[in-house]
Amino acid sequence: MTMRGLCAVLLVTAFFVAFAQADAFTDRINKMKAAGENISAFNFGKQRLIKTSEEDPGQWMLGLEISKLQEEKTGFIDVTDVPFPISALGDAPVPPPLPDQPQQKQLVQSLNSKLSTTSFRVNVEHLSSYYTRYYTTQTGAQAAEWIYNTLNTYKGDRTDIEVQFFNNSWVQSSVIARFPGTVSTDVVILGCHLDSVHLGGIGRAPGVDDDGSGVVTNLDIFRVLASNNFKPNRTLEIHFYSAEEVGLLGSREIAQSYLTQGKNVVGMLQLDMTFFHNNTNIIGLVTDHVSSDLTAFVRLLVDAYSILDWQNTLCGYSCSDHASWTEAGYRSVFPFESIFEDRNPFIHSTKDTLANADLDHGLEFAKVALGFAVELSATVYTTAQ
C-alpha cells in the first residue's frame, strides 16, 4: 500500500471511530433525557482548577477535559473552591495516641455478628437503581436524600443520634450521621462517597462497587450501632460524601470546615470499593497519602476481626476521600478490596452491578470498619499533651 493509500485508510478509520464515539455519546444523552435528567447539569462547558499531582500547580480544565482524566485513570483533585493544601489554613489539633492493640474485642465481635449481607443487598439494589448518582443530577440528589432517610429510619427513637445534610454549592448534599461523645468532643470518622459516574460523565452509572459498597457497609454499621444502644466516649461520625468522582469536592469541603473549626479528628477510615476481588482475596491497605501509624493500627484490626489477610498496596494521587483528610493534616487510612492492580475492572460503567460483586468479601471490610469505629471511639486512654 502506498503512503497516500495508508493515509486515506487512517483518515477513514479515524472518521468512523469519531462517528461511533459521537453516536454512543448521543445515545447516552438520549437515555439521560428519557430518564428525566437535565443534561445541562453536567456542566461540560464550565472550567475548573484541577491538580493531577503534588507538584502540579493546577490547570484550568473544561468538564470534557476532566472526563478525559477519568477515562485515562489519572488521579486528580479539584481545587477551584477549596485552596490546596487545606493544611495551609492552620495546624490540625494534635490527636490522642492510638491503642497499641485492640481493646474492645468482646464488644466488637458481638456487634460484628449482627452485620448482614442481606442488608447490603437490599440497600445496594436500591442505591444502584438510580440512573446515575452524578453530583449535579437530580437522581444524585435523590440518592443523598434516600441515605438521609434510611439513617433516620435506622436510628429509630434514638434522640441522641444526629443525622444531617452538609449542603454544597451543587445539588447533591453530603450526609453526616453522628453519635455524640459522652466524654470527649474528639471525632472518629468512617467515610465513603455516595456519587457515581460513567466514563465520559454522561451515562448509566449503577456504581455498586464504586462506591455503593462503602455506602451500604456504612449504613449497616450505623444500623447495628444504633439498634444496640452504642454510646461512644468520643464522637463517632459516619460520612457519605458527595462529588468524590470529580476531584474529592465533597470531602475537601468538610475537611476544610473541620480544620477551620479546630475539630480534633482521632482518625478517619475510608471505605471505597470493597465488593470485588480477583486474583487476591485479601484486604489491601493503601500506604500512600495516608497515616502510617493509623494504618499500622488497622493491620491489627484486620488480624483481630477479619478472616482475610492484609497486604500493602499503593493507589496513587487522590484516589479517594481519605486524601482530603491527609491534606488537612489529619490521620487517615484506606483499606481497599484488593491490591490496586487487581481492582474491579467494571467501575465507571454499566457493568458495575451486583452480578460482579461479592458481598461476603465486603462483609470482612465491614467487620474491620466497625472495629475501627468502636476501638477509637469507645476506648479510654490518655489524651496527648
Side-chain angles (χ1 to χ4, degrees), residues 274-337:
T274 64
F275 278 0
F276 182 86
H277 70 89
N278 193 354
N279 299 320
T280 51
N281 190 14
I282 51 95
I283 290 178
L285 285 175
V286 170
T287 57
D288 53 339
H289 306 286
V290 295
S291 161
S292 59
D293 57 344
L294 192 61
T295 301
F297 179 63
V298 170
R299 290 190 187 103
L300 299 177
L301 299 182
V302 175
D303 292 341
Y305 300 127
S306 174
I307 63 173
L308 300 181
D309 293 328
W310 54 265
Q311 186 173 336
N312 292 337
T313 189
L314 300 173
C315 73
Y317 186 68
S318 180
C319 67
S320 196
D321 293 301
H322 65 285
S324 299
W325 296 91
T326 299
E327 181 194 334
Y330 292 117
R331 291 189 296 218
S332 77
V333 62
F334 184 27
F336 190 68
E337 63 191 8

Side-chain angles (χ1 to χ4, degrees), residues 5 23 107 117-118 126 152 174 188 215 245 308 330 383:
D23 188 56
L107 175 59
T117 55
T118 300
H126 180 89
N152 276 299
S174 296
V188 176
V215 170
E245 298 285 8
L308 300 181
Y330 292 117
T383 301

Side-chain angles (χ1 to χ4, degrees), residues 346-364:
F346 303 113
I347 65 168
H348 302 169
S349 79
T350 57
K351 295 181 180 180
D352 187 5
T353 63
L354 268 169
N356 294 307
D358 183 341
L359 304 188
D360 289 326
H361 187 66
L363 180 62
E364 297 306 308

Side-chain angles (χ1 to χ4, degrees), residues 59-70:
Q59 305 171 59
W60 288 99
M61 293 186 176
L62 294 170
L64 287 174
E65 295 174 292
I66 297 171
S67 295
K68 183 75 170 175
L69 293 178
Q70 294 168 334

Side-chain angles (χ1 to χ4, degrees), residues 37-58:
E37 288 294 355
N38 176 12
I39 301 305
S40 64
F42 285 83
N43 292 328
F44 286 125
K46 186 176 182 181
Q47 284 196 322
R48 306 290 299 181
L49 185 58
I50 302 298
K51 278 176 60 70
T52 58
S53 70
E54 294 286 350
E55 298 75 25
D56 181 7

Side-chain angles (χ1 to χ4, degrees), residues 7-20:
C7 289
V9 169
L10 291 174
L11 285 172
V12 170
T13 301
F15 171 80
F16 280 109
V17 168
F19 182 81

